[in-house]
Amino acid sequence: MNDTILPFLSGLHPYDGLPEHVRIQTSDAFRAISLAANEPIYTFGAPLDGLYIIRSGRVEVRDGSGSIVSLLERGNSFGERGLMRDGLAATSAKTLTPAELLCLPRETFDRLRAEQPSFARFFNRGQGDGDDARPADFASVRVDALMVPDPVSCPPATSIAEAAKMMRDRRISCLCISEDSELLGLVTLRDLVSKALADGLDTDTPISKIMTPNPRTLPPSALGSDVLHLMAEHRLGHLPVVENGALVGILTQTDLTRFQSTTSVGLVAEAARTDSVQGLAKATSGIPKMLAQLVAAGHRHDVITRTITDVADVVTRRLLSLAEEQLGPPPGRYLWLACGSQGRQEQTGVSDQDNCLILEDDLDERARGYFEQLATFVSDGLHTCGYVYCPGDMMATNPRWCQPISVWRDYFAHWIANPSKEAQMLASVMFDLRPIGGDETLWNGLQRDTLDRAAGNSIFTAHMATNALSHGTPLGLLRGFATIRSGEHRDKIDMKLSGVVPVVDLGRMYALQGKLEPANTRARLEAALAERVISPGGGRDLLDAYDLVAETRLKHQAAQIRRGEAPDNFMSPASLSDFERSHLRNAFVVIKTMQSALMQGRGILG
């Protein structure tokens, strides 16, 4: 079997990074197993023989309560969490189809973790059955931990013949074209065939003639979900990694095969390729199930909400494309932006739409009519896809929020100079804007100018601080909770309005005070800590409190989804254990303390 196992492992991470002699020894240690469909592999709490890898077929993994954790395919591994604890299975696994499995004995697995740092890093970062196959776990991994560093590159003057030889000799499928470490373009094997060979180009032709100039890139700090979603949306097979303008790594579709799944990546791919609003609605209908699976897998709340928001972003961009196909090319530059939870990349299972349009100046009435139709098409499409119309009409269909860039500058200048109650509310919403589709140059200068202007106006920041304290935490007397007193949600806590929103407001205030550009709440808190806008102790406590509150909210929604109910934000404290209630109350105490510090001027250091 070694003759077939070794080649299989050589193309599978993390085995492809092992020294050759270690990889050979490891291939000899694997035991091959053939199973029929619907056959159990192991059950929850049973002793584990070792780590399992799928060579063919599909496997279902469930947690101790019977909820599906993941659906795995060729190249995916499972069983590692039990091996890394007490040797007992932390999940149950069975085949869905006839399957060929490989089992690595526990002693070999333990030895590799002890002796091979790259192998240990790979399994230590997930610690969950099937984690390495799920985009949720992949989503929490930074790109710099996944990329191939120092990719093969050549200058633009390199001949096609020389470039082809480099790719053949290095056994690579793409070549980065760079000069002085700056990425200029990308050439793939497909380019050599379709652009050089098919067109009969002379082999002395510079490689720059067939390269894709200015390819899409990501920074090393991006998340793995950003990689998968960018590749799925734009059908990319290769993605350079660039930091401060310099090429530092490369990621290919082959590298990421083990992370493919039927959850977020599948929804993004489905949304990016559909030609109808109904097709988009079909894709978004899978979001509740995805949320429940991600929560069951134990992932951080900000990874889950970012993954869910990625789907909304792709749906929005696809609707913009469909609108242009129906209405014709746009008569001027525009930028579609999201605010609210989509703008902050914090969408859950309950999200309405909040959006606006920035247009270039000096458009005529005919052009304005075009963008009114575009806004209606996209907003109606989002509503069909489950992102219901904003109750406050904060949408691009409202003429007030579909304006030229000069009007938007006047809006922000007026709100900052005249901080009325409405101005505070509008500024709070608009400070969470994030570009989704269109010409982003319409936004860059506006964001920086607005932050500078707002931070420099002490009266405005004082009013914004007061506004940030308008949402109280649900703290009651005698270490209890102040629940809703009447109506449909009596005896429950609004985990959005009384739980998450107070921290969102604090994060926005810190971002304003420190001129911080992130829109995401957790990113704002981290940036405020890094820039010492808030004290280290208070900032860390607030981060921990926010994580607990946001995680509790998502668990509540996931439980509703598993019961077949529509998710909401109204949670009964009685559904929690005494331990959970105690910690949740402590989290609300921290949030209230930071609100008080802001009120007294002690939460801001500057």
Side-chain angles (χ1 to χ4, degrees):
M1 286 296 294
N2 179 57
D3 291 340
T4 59
I5 294 177
L6 182 58
F8 174 71
L9 294 181
S10 296
L12 185 67
H13 197 65
Y15 308 93
D16 57 354
L18 296 175
E20 186 174 1
H21 72 281
V22 175
R23 190 161 60 246
I24 293 173
Q25 293 172 357
T26 303
S27 68
D28 288 334
F30 272 98
R31 174 170 56 91
I33 305 171
S34 297
L35 297 175
N38 297 314
E39 194 167 346
I41 302 168
Y42 58 73
T43 57
F44 179 83
L48 281 169
D49 294 332
L51 175 75
Y52 291 87
I53 302 177
I54 304 173
R55 290 190 76 186
S56 66
R58 301 181 69 218
V59 170
E60 175 189 87
V61 177
R62 292 179 178 264
D63 62 19
S65 66
S67 299
I68 293 179
V69 173
S70 53
L71 302 175
L72 310 179
E73 299 179 340
R74 175 180 169 85
N76 298 158
S77 59
F78 54 100
E80 58 264 35
R81 182 164 49 166
L83 292 179
M84 295 167 69
R85 291 182 177 178
D86 52 7
L88 301 179
T91 56
S92 297
K94 75 169 186 176
T95 59
L96 294 177
T97 65
E100 295 288 334
L101 308 179
L102 297 177
C103 182
L104 182 67
R106 180 179 181 181
E107 57 269 25
T108 306
F109 177 79
D110 290 341
R111 187 175 68 251
L112 287 172
R113 286 183 59 223
E115 298 175 356
Q116 301 297 326
S118 63
F119 190 92
R121 282 195 302 271
F122 180 86
F123 287 103
N124 286 344
R125 70 172 185 243
Q127 295 194 24
D129 289 278
D131 281 348
D132 307 302
R134 292 193 303 274
D137 279 323
F138 175 77
S140 66
V141 182
R142 283 170 51 109
V143 163
D144 56 7
L146 299 162
M147 69 185 188
V148 176
D150 303 318
V152 180
S153 63
C154 69
T158 304
S159 70
I160 288 175
E162 292 173 326
K165 289 177 182 176
M166 291 176 66
M167 294 173 72
R168 179 199 64 190
D169 295 341
R170 302 291 188 92
R171 297 183 179 182
I172 54 177
S173 59
C174 69
L175 192 62
C176 295
I177 314 304
S178 64
E179 201 160 50
D180 297 327
S181 297
E182 180 183 0
L183 178 68
L184 303 178
L186 189 71
V187 169
T188 66
L189 289 175
R190 178 177 294 182
D191 293 328
L192 289 176
V193 174
S194 62
K195 297 179 181 179
L197 184 60
D199 291 342
L201 294 183
D202 192 291
T203 57
D204 290 333
T205 302
I207 195 68
S208 59
K209 295 294 183 182
I210 67 167
M211 73 179 185
T212 298
N214 304 314
R216 297 179 186 276
T217 65
L218 281 176
S221 59
L223 298 180
S225 61
D226 296 329
V227 178
L228 287 179
H229 295 163
L230 195 62
M231 284 185 166
E233 181 180 5
H234 299 286
R235 306 184 189 186
L236 304 177
H238 308 81
L239 191 60
V241 182
V242 173
E243 184 174 34
N244 298 324
L247 175 68
V248 296
I250 189 77
L251 282 164
T252 71
Q253 190 66 54
T254 301
D255 297 330
L256 307 179
T257 298
R258 69 187 182 279
F259 295 108
Q260 299 299 333
S261 76
T262 57
T263 54
S264 62
V265 178
L267 297 187
V268 167
E270 184 177 355
R273 295 169 186 172
T274 188
D275 293 323
S276 68
V277 174
Q278 291 69 32
L280 291 172
K282 180 177 179 293
T284 56
S285 68
I287 289 177
K289 180 180 179 181
M290 180 180 74
L291 183 150
Q293 289 180 342
L294 300 182
V295 172
H299 302 299
R300 231 171 56 182
H301 68 90
D302 56 320
V303 173
I304 297 174
T305 55
R306 184 167 178 168
T307 301
I308 293 172
T309 306
D310 281 346
V311 178
D313 290 355
V314 174
V315 167
T316 305
R317 285 191 287 269
R318 190 69 191 110
L319 285 168
L320 289 169
S321 296
L322 292 174
E324 290 185 16
E325 290 175 13
Q326 178 174 302
L327 301 174
R333 294 184 300 138
Y334 75 90
L335 179 62
W336 184 282
L337 303 99
C339 46
S341 59
Q342 185 181 3
R344 297 190 304 273
Q345 295 180 295
E346 294 167 4
Q347 288 190 313
T348 66
V350 188
S351 296
D352 59 5
Q353 57 174 290
D354 300 278
N355 46 62
C356 65
L357 266 174
I358 297 179
L359 311 176
E360 69 171 312
D361 286 328
D362 302 321
L363 293 177
D364 58 26
E365 285 303 312
R366 184 190 67 82
R368 293 296 299 272
Y370 173 97
F371 287 113
E372 289 174 5
Q373 293 182 68
L374 180 139
T376 299
F377 181 95
V378 176
S379 183
D380 288 349
L382 288 171
H383 183 79
T384 300
C385 292
Y387 306 101
V388 298
Y389 300 124
C390 174
D393 203 19
M394 189 69 68
M395 297 180 293
T397 50
N398 183 337
R400 190 179 186 185
W401 311 127
C402 179
Q403 293 290 336
I405 181 66
S406 58
V407 174
W408 279 101
R409 288 187 180 279
D410 289 343
Y411 280 165
F412 279 104
H414 179 75
W415 295 334
I416 293 168
N418 303 277
S420 65
K421 198 70 177 176
E422 183 192 39
Q424 295 170 43
M425 183 273 292
L426 293 174
S428 295
V429 173
M430 294 304 174
F431 279 140
D432 293 348
L433 284 174
R434 182 172 61 88
I436 303 298
D439 189 337
E440 291 195 23
T441 61
L442 291 168
W443 167 246
N444 296 336
L446 176 61
Q447 182 190 36
R448 174 44 54 193
D449 292 348
T450 300
L451 282 173
D452 290 342
R453 187 192 299 263
N457 188 317
S458 59
I459 296 177
F460 174 75
T461 55
H463 279 280
M464 287 293 289
T466 301
N467 187 64
L469 303 173
S470 61
H471 297 105
T473 55
L475 291 172
L477 300 176
L478 302 176
R479 298 194 61 78
F481 292 101
T483 58
I484 298 171
R485 294 184 177 181
S486 61
E488 178 186 358
H489 305 298
R490 182 180 178 182
D491 297 329
K492 294 181 179 179
I493 298 171
D494 187 336
M495 291 298 292
K496 176 183 177 181
L497 195 62
S498 301
V500 170
V501 169
V503 187
V504 170
D505 290 341
L506 287 171
R508 186 186 299 114
M509 190 61 210
Y510 298 147
L512 173 61
Q513 190 74 16
K515 303 180 186 179
L516 308 173
E517 295 187 2
N520 176 265
T521 298
R522 200 175 198 284
R524 280 172 167 170
L525 298 181
E526 290 176 338
L529 263 172
E531 297 297 323
R532 295 191 61 78
V533 175
I534 48 179
S535 64
R540 285 193 295 268
D541 285 348
L542 184 58
L543 265 174
D544 288 343
Y546 177 55
D547 286 344
L548 180 60
V549 171
E551 177 184 297
T552 303
R553 178 194 183 196
L554 285 180
K555 285 183 176 179
H556 161 70
Q557 292 187 2
Q560 290 178 305
I561 292 167
R562 285 194 296 270
R563 293 194 298 266
E565 302 170 3
D568 62 28
N569 293 300
F570 300 97
M571 184 194 74
S572 170
S575 66
L576 303 175
S577 67
D578 290 343
F579 181 84
E580 290 170 325
R581 285 197 296 272
S582 175
H583 280 274
L584 183 60
R585 192 180 190 284
N586 289 341
F588 286 135
V589 169
V590 169
I591 296 169
K592 186 176 179 62
T593 300
M594 294 302 287
Q595 287 180 319
S596 299
L598 179 65
M599 182 185 301
Q600 298 167 13
R602 291 187 286 106
I604 306 294
L605 301 178

